[in-house]
Amino acid sequence: MTITNVVVAIAMEAEASPFVNHLNLQPDLSFFPSETPFRAFRGKHNNCHLTVITNGKDEVHGTGVDNVGTVPAATATFLALQKLKSDEPADLLINAGTCGGFQRKGAAIGDVFLTTAVANHDRRIAIPSFTPYGIGRIESTSVEKLAAHIDAKLGVCTTGNSLDFHELDSHHMLENDASVKDMEAAAIAWASEIWSTPHFGVKVVTDIVDGEKPSHEEFMENLGTAAEKLQSTLPKVIDYVCDKKHDEL
Ligand code: ADE
């Protein structure tokens, strides 16, 4: 089976807009239930149907910021894949966005990483039968040829609901053998698994987790450049995956 129907899940509007505009994707206001803040942008690129989904803005707390973190990410991904299932099921889900990178794993600002697996670092459950569930490691679909083609690095993405981290998170990020850290990947992978949709992440490094600067400062400094990098990388990813079989990635 070749890949012709791709969903790209991107948490933040600033990360998604350059790519959506570049491919001239159009808002589809009827894609998500009207009660949800989620947004969908759809169109065709070469032979591929594309649906970019974003998590929209926070109306629950009235802050108006992007709905980052695992809860909106899993919910939006679940609803998108459920919606497509009844029409033309998605062949592939790509989670694109920014991340923190670990310099001990060779990450530098602006690097593009493709995920080999995802796991959580903030779901500590000290009941032995629940511990692996808490970590929730999920393998990504294999994309080694794609990584070589676009000159991206490969590594595990560790997910948690905080931009910063504390001592215990640090320990679990190391245990997860993480190259990069984000706030959505493990949740998006979980929702993709529910619908048996192959998935992987494309993550651009905005800040160095094991460096000197506070994450939030470095993140804000580099968000614009990272969004541009995402915009130049994602079309190459889409061009490569479309019309290929999964084992050719
Ligand atoms: N997104 C970008 N940088 C991040 C970090 N350090 N942690 C979590 N998510 C991020």
Side-chain angles (χ1 to χ4, degrees), residues 12 15 97-101 121 158-165 173 180-184 203-209 214-216 218-219 223:
M12 296 178 71
E15 295 167 332
T98 57
C99 64
H121 57 257
T158 190
T159 297
N161 272 296
S162 299
L163 185 61
D164 67 358
F165 62 97
M173 294 189 297
V180 295
K181 164 180 180 280
D182 84 340
M183 297 173 70
E184 288 89 17
K203 300 278 166 180
V204 180
V205 176
T206 49
D207 52 275
I208 297 301
V209 184
S215 296
H216 63 280
E218 225 173 2
F219 172 77
L223 178 60

